[in-house]
Amino acid sequence: MSYVDRCRELKLAFERGESEFDNMEFKEYQFHSSAHDILPGKINYQCESHELELTENLFTQNDIGEIQDDVHMHDVVIEENRNFSYNILKPKGKEKLKKLSFIFHGFNEKTWDKYLPWGQAICEKTQSAVIFFPIAFHMQRAPKHWSDKKAMFELSKKRKAQFPNIIGSSLSNVAISMRLHSKPQRFIWSGLQTYYDIIQFIEECKSGKHELIDKNFSFDIFAYSIGGFLAEILKLTNYKNYFSDTKLCLFCSGAVFNRLSPVSKFILDSEVNVALYSYLVEHFSSFLKKDNLLHHYLEEDHLEGKVFHTMLEYKSMRNFREDLFRKVENQIYAIALKGDSVFPTYEIENTLKGASRDINIVVEELDFGYSYTHENPFPMNKSTSGDIEESIDLVFTKVCDFFNRK
């Protein structure tokens, strides 16, 4: 079966929810996010762990790009992000799973299509079950309207008229670009919500609540693009030591936020990129002083917030960040691509190996003999199908050798 045909068959099996493929089978489960109350859209908030009542400062909200009400919904009330499905790909016949691998996807992703052969490779080569868990407001956690091609095309036209010098605006990224442009702190809150969702999932499994997963399971993480940002925060925070034995493989990922180049018609447009940089990097300390909620989660007694903060800007708490990476240097492995302009190899090395290059995290750069991009490292191209199969096998043999190493 060719690479293109295999991708199509995997997609069909995935969409059926309960379906077999070769010696594997897909399962679909529902999840309720207990952390959705942290999201923008309320006035009063509670931090249960510190028994505090907090308020969100609306100073940081603006009306830039307020074109479409269906895009600028209050985050906290978006039902698709509160209650959603996730999928598991597992070796056929296994009843109770003891070995898992999470796959974390990239920014502005709407379907799992390109990740399915990646999950298949990990499942086959490690005999672990693969968890396709969506990041907040991505994949099946976003309203379908945000993926409506006709509606988003019209919205992009309006955005281009509003910002004549905009670069990279498209029907694919207009919804996320407008939302983040209007309220840049959404990047933080959706990231923290997903962080807490993963912790919730792990704790539910450890308590024996999952019908498929043994409560004594172990797990690793394969993270691509911005999914690596989430994975690094989870690994470095190591909540309740849940991640002590977890190996983390980063693919086209690993650099801190302000060292990325995400302007692309598939990721973000140039206007929101400037707004995010201004908010999260240049003026972030000022915003933290004005926003009680942000200040509590990022500056006070929340280690996940502190780690999140240091992953935003290269110079921010660099020694703190590098000390954390140094402690887990043998449990992280990164694969970079020479032709990747979004996550350049040298920026991944700057973060993972440290300013003095004294952190022994392996960062391996690969290159492929066909045209590829960060967003599409293994394109669905029949003419180069054989080369793409070889590249996928090369990458995931390295990934799974790392996961399988004792």
Side-chain angles (χ1 to χ4, degrees):
M1 186 183 297
S2 71
Y3 169 67
V4 173
D5 290 337
R6 181 161 61 96
C7 289
R8 288 173 179 163
E9 290 296 317
L10 278 165
K11 180 181 178 181
L12 288 173
F14 181 86
E15 289 175 347
R16 286 193 290 265
E18 301 269 341
S19 184
E20 297 179 6
F21 184 89
D22 286 348
N23 292 316
M24 293 162 284
E25 52 190 348
F26 285 103
K27 297 285 185 180
E28 184 177 42
Y29 291 91
Q30 299 300 311
F31 188 86
H32 170 73
S33 172
S34 297
H36 74 272
D37 276 346
I38 201 174
L39 295 169
K42 297 166 54 179
I43 296 176
N44 298 312
Y45 293 81
Q46 286 189 330
C47 174
E48 293 183 2
S49 60
H50 294 100
E51 297 182 348
L52 286 175
E53 289 192 4
L54 300 157
T55 57
E56 180 191 29
N57 190 315
L58 299 181
F59 173 83
T60 51
Q61 185 170 9
N62 58 61
D63 60 359
I64 295 174
E66 293 279 359
I67 302 170
Q68 175 60 265
D69 290 341
D70 288 344
V71 170
H72 293 293
M73 303 163 67
H74 286 307
D75 296 24
V76 73
V77 301
I78 296 177
E79 179 63 23
E80 292 89 340
N81 184 57
R82 299 171 61 170
N83 297 289
F84 56 91
S85 64
Y86 65 91
N87 299 78
I88 297 178
L89 177 64
K90 73 180 190 70
K92 188 177 177 181
K94 285 196 175 183
E95 296 302 322
K96 277 291 186 178
L97 304 170
K98 292 188 175 183
K99 187 177 180 182
L100 308 178
S101 295
F102 285 94
I103 284 187
F104 293 159
H105 59 77
F107 213 29
N108 192 33
E109 298 274 16
K110 297 175 175 64
T111 75
W112 288 102
D113 295 359
K114 79 181 181 189
Y115 298 95
L116 300 180
W118 306 7
Q120 180 193 21
I122 293 172
C123 185
E124 284 181 344
K125 294 177 185 293
T126 66
Q127 287 300 294
S128 68
V130 176
I131 315 294
F132 297 91
F133 198 97
I135 293 172
F137 303 107
H138 287 67
M139 302 297 192
Q140 57 267 53
R141 297 184 68 165
K144 287 184 170 57
H145 176 76
W146 298 355
S147 297
D148 184 297
K149 290 183 178 180
K150 184 177 179 181
M152 294 303 106
F153 178 77
E154 292 301 319
L155 207 52
S156 180
K157 281 173 59 178
K158 292 179 181 178
R159 186 159 170 82
K160 288 173 181 176
Q162 187 178 18
F163 301 102
N165 297 319
I166 199 168
I167 298 170
S169 179
S170 71
L171 62 89
S172 296
N173 70 20
V174 67
I176 192 170
S177 293
M178 287 175 58
R179 284 173 51 76
L180 288 174
H181 198 172
S182 173
K183 202 172 179 68
Q185 61 268 49
R186 281 176 164 137
F187 180 82
I188 295 171
W189 294 124
S190 61
L192 284 176
Q193 183 198 9
T194 312
Y195 170 93
Y196 295 129
D197 288 345
I198 297 296
I199 299 298
Q200 178 186 335
F201 176 84
I202 290 170
E203 293 192 323
E204 288 177 357
C205 293
K206 283 183 173 293
S207 66
K209 293 181 180 179
H210 202 291
E211 66 176 24
L212 200 60
I213 299 173
D214 189 286
K215 64 181 181 180
N216 296 313
F217 69 98
S218 62
F219 65 95
D220 296 314
I221 300 173
F222 174 84
Y224 161 78
S225 192
I226 205 66
F229 195 89
L230 168 66
E232 287 167 308
I233 295 169
L234 286 162
K235 178 63 181 173
L236 297 182
T237 304
N238 194 18
Y239 181 76
K240 292 186 178 179
N241 295 319
Y242 291 160
F243 299 83
S244 295
D245 299 320
T246 296
K247 291 183 178 179
L248 169 58
C249 184
L250 299 164
F251 180 49
C252 300
S253 183
V256 295
F257 176 79
N258 79 317
R259 297 300 177 91
L260 310 183
S261 302
V263 175
S264 160
K265 64 181 181 179
F266 300 109
I267 307 177
L268 296 173
D269 66 40
S270 58
E271 291 294 326
V272 68
N273 187 50
V274 171
L276 279 172
Y277 192 92
S278 175
Y279 181 88
L280 296 173
V281 179
E282 292 179 330
H283 305 294
F284 196 51
S285 60
S286 297
F287 285 120
L288 282 173
K289 293 175 183 177
K290 298 172 182 177
D291 192 319
N292 294 328
L293 196 62
L294 270 178
H295 186 272
H296 174 70
Y297 277 92
L298 271 71
E299 292 285 278
E300 297 179 6
D301 191 21
H302 282 275
L303 180 57
E304 66 277 12
K306 187 176 180 181
V307 175
F308 201 125
H309 193 174
T310 191
M311 290 300 300
L312 291 174
E313 201 270 318
Y314 186 73
K315 295 179 181 179
S316 175
M317 298 178 283
R318 181 175 63 80
N319 290 334
F320 166 74
R321 181 180 66 243
E322 291 185 357
D323 285 344
L324 291 177
F325 274 120
R326 195 173 288 108
K327 290 177 183 177
V328 295
E329 60 186 11
N330 295 323
Q331 295 177 310
I332 299 178
Y333 168 54
I335 297 176
L337 295 183
K338 187 176 182 179
D340 187 346
S341 60
V342 178
F343 277 83
T345 302
Y346 63 88
E347 294 294 6
I348 296 173
E349 291 179 334
N350 284 337
T351 298
L352 297 182
K353 289 183 169 294
S356 301
R357 294 299 191 269
D358 59 351
I359 305 173
N360 295 317
I361 293 176
V362 175
V363 179
E364 185 172 2
E365 183 182 77
L366 302 178
D367 196 18
F368 305 142
Y370 53 83
S371 179
Y372 65 89
T373 61
H374 168 84
E375 302 93 319
N376 200 5
F378 310 112
M380 292 263 288
N381 189 335
K382 283 191 175 182
S383 63
T384 56
S385 181
D387 293 337
I388 294 166
E389 285 277 21
E390 288 181 9
S391 296
I392 287 181
D393 186 64
L394 172 66
V395 168
F396 287 95
T397 295
K398 291 178 178 293
V399 170
C400 296
D401 284 348
F402 173 67
F403 284 163
N404 291 330
R405 196 179 306 146
K406 299 298 183 183

